[in-house]
Amino acid sequence: MSAAVPGGSGEVTDAAEVTVATEVMVAAEVTVVTEVVEAVVAADTSGEKAGDAAGAALAASAAAVVAGIPRQPGPEAPGTPAGARRPGPAGLAGRALAVFTGRVLGRYQAATVRIGFGLVWLAYLLREWPNRRLLYGDTSPWSTELAQRLLADNGALTVLPWFGGRLWFELVYHLAVLAALAVLLGWRTRASTVLFLVTVLSLQNRNVFLGDGGDNIVHLMAIYLVFTRCAEVWSLDARRGEHGRSGVPLWTLLGALLLVCQLGGFAGTSLDWTSPAFPYVGWAPLFWALWAVAGLWWLVERLAPEGETRAVLDALVTMVHNCAMLVIAVEVVLIYATAGWYKVQGSRWQDGTALYYPLHLDYFTPWPGLSGLVGGALLPVFLISYGTVLLQVGFPFTLVDRRVKNALLVVMMAEHVGIAVLLGLPVFSLAMIAADAVFLPTAALCWVGARVARIRLRRAPLS
């Protein structure tokens, strides 16, 4: 059983040959995102000529990203019959539906988001390891009794109150570390992303007064990742392919644990089938559905890998993945849009002095000398304050232009790096950069992946 929706393992790529295809994503009936997909590295490493040819292809792909995507060919383009009629609205809708149900959109973006948030949560847990008991454990000022009173009101999911005590807390905390590492590496992602979801929600809901905004983003993305096929590339699942014998024992073990938790009586209302609040569905239906679908997928793969049932199941999980990726993209757009419009209403943002004040607070100045240098220059403070508002308000509108969107992404990621350094908010900044990755161009991600693969091959010992 793996974290994403079934079918999370993809093709294995070990070295270099690039295939560029085109992928169309229709978002909210107003944004059409055309991206280059499927650059598969697979050349024979025994010959240097093949490597040079692959390098030339990769360089050409990178040049295409820098120069921008060329315009679509007109009716007189080669390969298009003269006088051929362009498809009408019904034809375009049919093609979009075929792409939406038959193609896994944003495979490289999904893998980047998975790696990014696995890294963010792992880094946070390791950084706070010395303070873990004070933040979430038995010595926390927000005691277990207070947390349980709040949980009774909001019905949030957390496994920490099930048993209490230091031993149970240590087990959950270190399970969270292992789950984050498994998500980062893409190992058994259909199972590891579910464990990632449970451990993220368990720790964050245990003490809701911790966090800097990045925790909310990790919270949401931990839910969305469960429904994506985020291990098709750049993962141990993709490297393993259909081989590997730990899937069935892991699936059986997780099913048994879920049954014990369901019937043991110690889970309280955490695993109820219904919820008093919207959407009125508890966590038990979700976990059992994911477990059952993973088992059904394995069974169909073994009994009828080329049958109609397999095709229908693949189309369904592909649609779920594409919907989840669309939700992630919309979520990022809403984060920037709401942040920008709220800033417009603030008087400090209106007069361009908003950045000045946090740079003079001890809590937000990990490098006092650097913060004083930036905060003491009025022009940079003014420009950064106004520039932040313009970037956040304007980002949703740049999605219609690929070049402007890519340029703005670079600026926004650089801004988040500045926030991490100047204001001491690394978790928030890394979480936003990982979320922004859903809009990165596929060709650029493939180019980076091919470069990393080359470096790995060069360092590998000769057999």
Side-chain angles (χ1 to χ4, degrees):
M1 179 176 171
S2 175
V5 181
S9 61
E11 302 174 355
V12 182
T13 63
D14 267 13
E17 172 190 319
V18 175
T19 300
V20 177
T22 304
E23 186 175 16
V24 179
M25 184 180 227
V26 180
E29 298 183 358
V30 294
T31 302
V32 178
V33 181
T34 305
E35 52 183 17
V36 181
V37 295
E38 292 214 322
V40 180
V41 182
D44 187 2
T45 57
S46 60
E48 295 184 357
K49 292 183 179 181
D52 295 338
L58 292 173
S61 177
V65 176
V66 177
I69 303 302
R71 295 183 178 180
Q72 297 296 324
E76 302 177 0
T80 302
R85 298 179 60 184
R86 294 184 178 180
L92 292 176
R95 290 184 181 181
L97 180 61
V99 170
F100 193 71
T101 58
R103 182 183 299 172
V104 179
L105 301 176
R107 296 188 305 158
Y108 291 92
Q109 287 80 359
T112 305
V113 172
R114 168 183 58 80
I115 294 171
F117 280 98
L119 179 62
V120 169
W121 187 239
L122 178 62
Y124 173 77
L125 293 176
L126 295 179
R127 186 190 71 174
E128 300 298 343
W129 191 85
N131 307 313
R132 63 192 184 282
R133 294 179 61 194
L134 185 63
L135 297 178
Y136 303 108
D138 53 317
T139 62
S140 173
W142 185 249
S143 64
T144 304
E145 291 75 17
L146 293 174
Q148 287 178 328
R149 290 172 59 183
L150 180 60
L151 292 171
D153 293 333
N154 59 24
L157 173 66
T158 177
V159 302
L160 286 176
W162 287 5
F163 297 104
R166 180 178 179 182
L167 180 61
W168 176 245
F169 164 73
E170 295 287 357
L171 179 63
V172 173
Y173 192 93
H174 290 88
L175 180 62
V177 173
L178 295 177
L181 181 61
V183 168
L184 173 63
L185 299 177
W187 181 80
R188 296 292 177 187
T189 47
R190 294 183 206 141
S192 62
T193 52
V194 175
L195 293 177
F196 183 76
L197 164 67
V198 172
T199 54
V200 167
L201 268 58
S202 294
L203 292 176
Q204 290 187 352
N205 291 333
R206 167 63 178 84
N207 192 344
V208 297
F209 300 102
L210 298 176
D212 52 14
D215 57 311
N216 292 328
I217 303 170
V218 174
H219 192 110
L220 293 172
M221 296 303 169
I223 298 175
Y224 301 151
L225 279 176
V226 173
F227 301 98
T228 64
R229 303 174 75 166
C230 56
E232 294 232 331
V233 295
W234 300 341
S235 67
L236 295 180
D237 287 350
R239 179 180 294 275
R240 184 185 66 249
E242 297 300 326
H243 306 287
R245 302 176 181 178
S246 61
V248 175
L250 181 61
W251 178 81
T252 305
L253 174 62
L254 292 177
L257 288 176
L258 182 57
L259 183 63
V260 170
C261 295
Q262 187 84 42
L263 303 179
F266 50 80
T269 60
S270 300
L271 294 178
D272 284 350
W273 290 89
T274 59
S275 172
F278 183 83
Y280 309 110
V281 177
W283 287 99
L286 173 63
F287 292 144
W288 280 114
L290 292 171
W291 182 81
V293 170
L296 177 62
W297 183 272
W298 181 88
L299 187 63
V300 172
E301 279 284 335
R302 295 303 181 276
L303 299 181
E306 303 296 334
E308 183 178 351
T309 304
R310 169 67 168 77
V312 172
L313 189 61
D314 187 69
L316 288 175
V317 298
T318 298
M319 284 191 293
V320 172
H321 162 87
N322 292 336
C323 288
M325 292 300 293
L326 179 60
V327 169
I328 292 175
V330 172
E331 186 71 43
V332 175
V333 170
L334 290 176
I335 289 174
Y336 282 119
T338 53
W341 286 109
Y342 272 112
K343 286 181 174 66
V344 168
Q345 303 174 46
S347 59
R348 294 293 175 263
W349 291 100
Q350 293 174 4
D351 59 27
T353 61
L355 184 62
Y356 173 84
Y357 298 98
L359 289 175
H360 289 79
L361 294 175
D362 293 339
Y363 184 79
F364 292 106
T365 54
W367 313 97
L370 182 60
S371 299
L373 180 64
V374 176
L378 297 181
L379 183 59
V381 169
F382 179 84
L383 293 177
I384 295 175
S385 298
Y386 270 98
T388 299
V389 176
L390 292 175
L391 288 175
Q392 293 180 350
V393 172
F395 177 71
F397 303 101
T398 65
L399 297 180
V400 298
D401 190 300
R402 184 180 183 83
R403 301 180 190 180
V404 177
K405 181 262 295 181
N406 291 340
L408 200 62
L409 275 177
V410 174
V411 176
M412 294 169 69
M413 289 183 174
E415 182 183 28
H416 287 306
V417 172
I419 292 174
V421 175
L422 287 176
L423 301 182
L425 300 174
V427 174
F428 167 77
S429 299
L430 292 177
M432 285 306 305
I433 291 174
D436 291 343
V438 73
F439 292 107
L440 289 175
T442 304
L445 293 175
C446 292
W447 182 83
V448 172
R451 290 292 179 183
V452 173
R454 260 192 194 177
I455 295 174
R456 180 174 55 83
L457 288 174
R458 289 174 181 175
R459 294 184 177 180
L462 296 176
S463 55

